[in-house]
């Protein structure tokens, strides 16, 4: 750090109490790149690494909930139309094929 950065930090922390200063300096020691990498792997893990545990947990829960809701919604959005398409296709085949061409045979146990 150069002299200018040190002056800016001192000016920034002058009104903080002791606990806030400790948290600030601990965060300054942490590597931002590691925080980003952790957040990419597990949402909220970077915040927890930086000491912001509450924010990290909220991000983890929120992201997990949104992902689960998105998966459920995508299954409904894709699954229901495919089911309807299958039913319509089956109905079309059954009702457009003449009965004379439908080879329906009774099972042996019913004869």
């Amino acid at each position: 750090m150069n002299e200018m950065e040190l002056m800016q930090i001192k000016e920034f922390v002058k009104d903080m109490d002791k606990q806030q200063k400790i948290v600030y300096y601990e965060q300054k020691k942490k590597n931002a790149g590691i925080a980003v990498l952790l957040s990419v792997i597990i949402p909220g893990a970077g915040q927890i690494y930086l000491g912001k545990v509450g924010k990290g947990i909220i991000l983890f829960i929120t992201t997990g909930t949104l992902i689960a809701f998105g998966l459920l919604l995508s299954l409904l959005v894709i699954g229901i139309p495919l089911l309807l398409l299958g039913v319509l296709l089956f109905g079309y085949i059954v009702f457009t094929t003449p009965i004379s061409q439908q080879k329906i045979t009774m099972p042996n146990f019913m004869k």
Side-chain angles (χ1 to χ4, degrees):
M1 284 188 181
N2 61 27
E3 198 64 35
M4 180 80 134
E5 288 177 357
L6 288 173
M7 288 177 56
Q8 288 175 340
I9 290 172
K10 285 180 182 177
E11 180 68 28
F12 181 71
V13 298
K14 73 178 183 178
D15 295 327
M16 292 182 177
D17 65 16
K18 185 177 180 181
Q19 185 63 32
Q20 289 173 322
K21 286 180 183 178
I22 291 171
V23 170
Y24 177 75
Y25 286 120
E26 286 294 319
Q27 286 178 354
K28 286 300 261 182
K29 286 195 252 180
K30 306 276 174 129
N31 187 335
I34 292 174
V36 169
L37 183 62
L38 288 170
S39 289
V40 168
I41 296 169
I42 301 170
Q47 296 293 329
I48 293 171
Y49 169 75
L50 292 175
K52 300 175 182 177
V53 178
K55 188 175 182 181
I57 291 171
I58 289 171
L59 283 170
F60 179 76
I61 291 171
T62 304
T63 306
T65 303
L66 289 173
I67 289 171
F69 183 70
L71 287 172
L72 179 64
L73 187 62
S74 69
L75 287 174
L76 291 175
V77 168
I78 293 169
I80 291 174
L82 285 178
L83 176 66
L84 291 175
L85 182 64
V87 169
L88 289 173
L89 184 61
F90 176 75
Y92 174 78
I93 290 169
V94 167
F95 290 111
T96 59
T97 305
I99 293 178
S100 60
Q101 290 182 355
Q102 293 179 5
K103 304 220 169 156
I104 301 172
T105 58
M106 282 189 169
N108 288 334
F109 71 88
M110 295 182 76
K111 291 181 180 178

